[in-house]
Amino acid sequence: MQEIGTAELLQSDQDEARRQIERSIIKKFRKTIWRPFTRGINDYELIHDGDRIAVCISGGKDSMLMAKLLQELHRHGKANFELQFLTMNPGYNEENWELIKANARLLGIPLTVFETDIFDAVATIDRNPCYLCARMRRGYLYSHAKELGCNKIALGHHFDDVIETILMGMFYGGKVETMMPKLHSQNFEGMELIRPMYLVHEDAVKAWRDYNGLRFIQCACRFTEACANGDGTQNSKREEMKELIADLRQKSDVIEQNIFRSVHNVNLKTIIGYHRGDEAYNFLDDYYDET
């Protein structure tokens, strides 16, 4: 009988762990993750035959789960599409970068990695460094995805991100808008951004992570490394919205869904004004025509 070495045993354990993680998506979390994921793909027509999708992985729980969901859809779905798992290192510290790579190995996600110095570039910016960082990262991802022959990039935003964005726009921007399930790139012709987890709630993502005993980076930039592994808090408007929604959830179990539905069910007859691109409309424009 051939003797099995330690390395083979470790690999066997890791393979079994990965299979358990994959099974949990389809079985235990079928109702809370898999079905909302596939419904979002279908309802918003996010994936088509012939697509080559750059799955953008930051290393957090959301993007890692998204990668596994798209892998499962690729294996068992009907659409004929390709996946490229794209990871940018914008200047993570060594601990966070090693955790990202270890999780990718465990989950069976073949990373395509490229390096940037974005964290260094925004380190001295006093005004809106997070906004600038996000814009720069998005641009790099689009650029590298296009170089790889992709026509879409997939980001791991989920249901909670959507409703938080709606409230932030109202409270701090004085406008009604949302995070779209997909949109065309304005700067990279032929490229499209999709959000496959648009209907998946964050609580479900956390439950999947905890059930499988996984640990991901949370926020790992120079400004927030204290909470990189979930040990701290981030003082931001989005965190304010999370706390507000959590409080509202205790009062009613329909509020979250109604916030989400509000941008799917806009009655333009009761809107004072709106704009589409450069075209602006005010209710007075045709108010007297209807008398």
Side-chain angles (χ1 to χ4, degrees), residues 240-251 256:
E240 289 179 26
M241 296 304 101
K242 283 184 183 295
E243 293 173 7
L244 173 62
I245 293 168
D247 183 56
L248 293 172
R249 189 186 300 126
Q250 302 303 312
K251 296 178 172 62
E256 290 174 287

Side-chain angles (χ1 to χ4, degrees), residues 257-275:
Q257 197 62 41
N258 284 342
I259 295 171
F260 184 79
R261 288 173 179 161
S262 70
V263 293
H264 289 71
N265 191 31
V266 176
N267 182 357
L268 292 180
K269 295 287 288 184
T270 65
I271 296 296
I272 301 295
Y274 66 87
H275 62 86

Side-chain angles (χ1 to χ4, degrees), residues 223-243:
F223 306 98
T224 55
E225 283 187 343
C227 62
N229 293 313
D231 299 325
T233 58
Q234 184 178 6
N235 183 18
S236 68
K237 290 182 174 61
R238 186 166 294 277
E239 288 299 319
E240 289 179 26
M241 296 304 101
K242 283 184 183 295
E243 293 173 7

